[in-house]
Amino acid sequence: MSRAALLVLADGRFPAGGHAHSGGAEAAVEAGRIRDAATLEEFCRGRLHTAGLVAAALAAAAAAGCDPLALDEAADARTPVPALRLTARRLGRQMMRAARATWPSAELDALAAARPRGAHQPVVLGLAARSAGLDPLDAAGAAAYENVSGPATAAVRLLSLDPFDATAVLARLAAPLDRVAEQAVEAARRVPLEGTGALPAASAPLLDITAEQHAAWPVRLFAS
């Protein structure tokens, strides 16, 4: 297992396409729910315990060797909004391209062949982590971090927020992020015996609603 591989996977410069997405932050800024560092932290904390937890558990299960196609179906069931399903698969397709170039594996090739239009991004991330020799906790941590770092980075551009303040928000979320990753791994351990129903299905209705609204905007800075 290589900790350096985890740094590569979680690096914002890893060419997985996440820079083009705000994780719902653009719509939240427009609605006035993100105005400054304090409200950004509230947004990210809520996202971490809902979308972040679900993504972390899917990634952990994929890294543990669970059937990625079953996990992809589970991800679909936990993503009721068409705009977010489309986003997740687009990000998954880009993540797959980057992962296959970086850590080639037969498992990545098989998932790419089975889902040519893209599997859900957390599933691909978990399989990429497995191909890189990382463990489920690493995969869960990377997925959870991606779910809060994306909005934090986007807020810097959307609000001209001080980057130091945005980074401080992420630092304050470090302990909750670790706990979410551990919770995700515990759920993933139950999948072989209980099936994908053991994975969390935390919902964030406001993120779902605003994702559909954002997708209909004629002009936007971020794809989601």
Side-chain angles (χ1 to χ4, degrees):
M1 184 168 59
S2 169
R3 292 301 175 196
L6 177 58
L7 296 177
V8 173
L9 183 62
D11 193 332
R13 291 163 293 190
F14 188 70
H19 66 279
H21 298 264
S22 77
E26 185 166 25
V29 167
E30 177 65 21
R33 285 187 287 273
I34 298 179
R35 303 177 300 278
D36 50 25
T39 49
L40 172 63
E41 183 170 346
E42 290 175 359
F43 178 89
C44 289
R45 194 176 295 274
R47 183 174 172 82
L48 173 62
H49 289 282
T50 52
L53 173 61
V54 172
L58 289 164
C66 297
D67 180 1
L69 295 179
L71 293 175
D72 193 56
E73 292 176 0
D76 239 17
R78 287 159 175 75
T79 314
V81 176
L84 291 180
R85 285 200 298 271
L86 180 61
T87 294
R89 291 192 180 281
R90 283 177 173 170
L91 284 169
R93 187 167 62 245
Q94 181 65 23
M95 170 69 76
M96 180 65 79
R97 290 181 61 196
R100 292 173 77 189
T102 309
W103 301 292
S105 77
E107 289 179 312
L108 285 171
D109 291 344
L111 181 57
R115 293 288 189 271
R117 299 181 65 180
H120 278 258
Q121 190 262 8
V123 178
V124 180
L125 188 155
L127 206 57
R130 180 175 172 84
S131 299
L134 300 172
D135 64 24
L137 185 59
D138 291 327
Y145 179 72
E146 186 270 339
N147 266 267
V148 294
S149 63
T153 302
V156 172
R157 296 171 61 185
L158 292 163
L159 293 171
S160 296
L161 189 68
D162 189 327
F164 296 127
D165 290 338
T167 302
V169 166
L170 295 177
R172 288 193 291 273
L173 290 173
L177 195 152
D178 284 344
R179 289 192 293 271
V180 164
E182 291 164 0
Q183 185 180 350
V185 170
E186 182 57 37
R189 288 195 185 106
R190 293 161 45 204
V191 171
L193 292 177
E194 301 177 32
T196 56
L199 297 174
S203 63
L206 192 55
L207 281 178
D208 292 343
I209 293 167
T210 56
E212 281 294 305
Q213 294 171 340
H214 182 268
W217 289 5
V219 178
R220 56 184 188 241
L221 184 60
F222 291 93
S224 70

